[in-house]
Amino acid sequence: GGQSTSFFERFGAVPVTGRNAAKLMRRGDAVLLFPGGVRETIPASGDEKYQLMWPEKSEFVRLAAKYNATIVPFGAIGAAESLSVVASVEQLESLRNSPLGQLLPGGGAMGEGAPVREAFSNFGGPGGVDPERLKFPPSPLALPAPLWDMSRMYFLFGKPFTGADIDVSSDEATDETYRNVKAEVESCISYLKRKRTSDPYKDLIPRVAFERLNNKQAPSFDP
């Protein structure tokens, strides 16, 4: 709705389209992209936590090459611990199709309705972006996790891929560049997960206690 759009726009968010990405790159703006979309943001199970769910191919490599942009892979962990999944996609779909679900706003089975088709009717733009690869899958229902389960947030920026590193001379070369970018993100995530175990203040409660008693930020792990 309009309110949620305004909320995200305050942080510089724009609809995910190839045209918007190209416009930002032409202006020289930085573009923050999560190829895995909402499924990575709200993992349905512990097995999916911090697992990349990128499409087999992504168009952002060609788009970066077209505008001579540098791709900076990065990993981030901690956000998944801030949410608790209370209903799976299957449970939500069962509710939508139940007699009660028919009475709720937006009730009924989810399908490729006119609003969805219309939203993607003008999709494309420079870079040959495929709209089918950017559709968000259904997500589970999640609520804020208890305070004692919340983790510190960790970020790590990996090796940048400059214009000389981004080879789009063929489909095979583009796929190889894409795999290399993805592998760098996975390496960052793996490093952070491993190092987090040595951080005595990774959990919220001991970290807040330390900072209140010492009036300074709690230390983290040694790099």
Side-chain angles (χ1 to χ4, degrees):
Q3 290 184 339
S4 60
T5 300
S6 298
F7 173 79
F8 288 111
E9 284 179 345
R10 293 176 188 172
F11 298 91
V14 298
V16 183
T17 69
R19 185 173 288 106
N20 281 339
K23 184 186 300 183
L24 293 170
M25 289 184 181
R26 282 198 300 268
R27 283 193 340 208
D29 291 348
V31 178
L32 181 62
L33 176 67
F34 292 89
V38 70
R39 190 176 175 190
E40 281 183 6
T41 307
I42 311 176
S45 67
D47 293 338
E48 292 185 351
K49 192 179 293 185
Y50 303 122
Q51 297 295 315
L52 297 189
M53 301 174 190
W54 293 13
E56 291 185 8
K57 295 183 179 181
S58 179
E59 311 306 326
F60 73 81
V61 172
R62 294 187 185 277
L63 202 58
K66 181 181 181 69
Y67 292 98
N68 196 31
T70 298
I71 299 174
V72 184
F74 75 96
I77 67 170
E81 284 75 22
S82 67
L83 295 172
S84 294
V85 174
V86 296
S88 67
V89 172
E90 291 76 19
Q91 290 169 328
L92 291 175
E93 187 64 21
S94 177
L95 174 61
R96 288 190 189 97
N97 292 324
S98 69
L100 175 61
Q102 301 296 323
L103 301 177
L104 298 174
M110 296 177 65
E112 293 295 323
V116 174
R117 287 194 298 270
E118 182 179 353
F120 288 96
S121 62
N122 296 320
F123 201 93
V129 179
D130 181 357
E132 292 297 324
R133 295 176 181 171
L134 295 177
K135 287 186 180 179
F136 291 145
S139 61
L141 176 64
L143 298 175
L147 290 179
W148 53 85
D149 282 343
M150 290 191 175
S151 169
R152 194 176 212 166
M153 300 287 289
Y154 304 84
F155 301 89
L156 178 64
F157 291 89
K159 168 188 171 293
F161 289 74
T162 63
D165 303 314
I166 303 174
D167 185 357
V168 292
S169 58
S170 65
D171 289 343
E172 292 76 15
T174 304
D175 291 346
E176 180 65 21
T177 302
Y178 175 70
R179 286 192 293 268
N180 290 339
V181 173
K182 184 179 179 182
E184 186 68 17
V185 174
E186 290 173 329
S187 177
C188 290
I189 293 173
S190 177
Y191 172 84
L192 292 174
K193 288 173 62 180
R194 185 175 68 255
K195 297 297 289 187
R196 178 170 64 172
T197 61
S198 64
D199 182 359
Y201 302 107
K202 65 180 182 296
D203 297 320
L204 179 64
I205 293 176
R207 187 168 69 255
V208 169
F210 176 93
E211 293 177 350
R212 286 290 180 88
L213 290 172
N214 296 276
N215 197 29
K216 63 179 182 180
Q217 185 177 3
S220 185
F221 58 77
D222 293 326

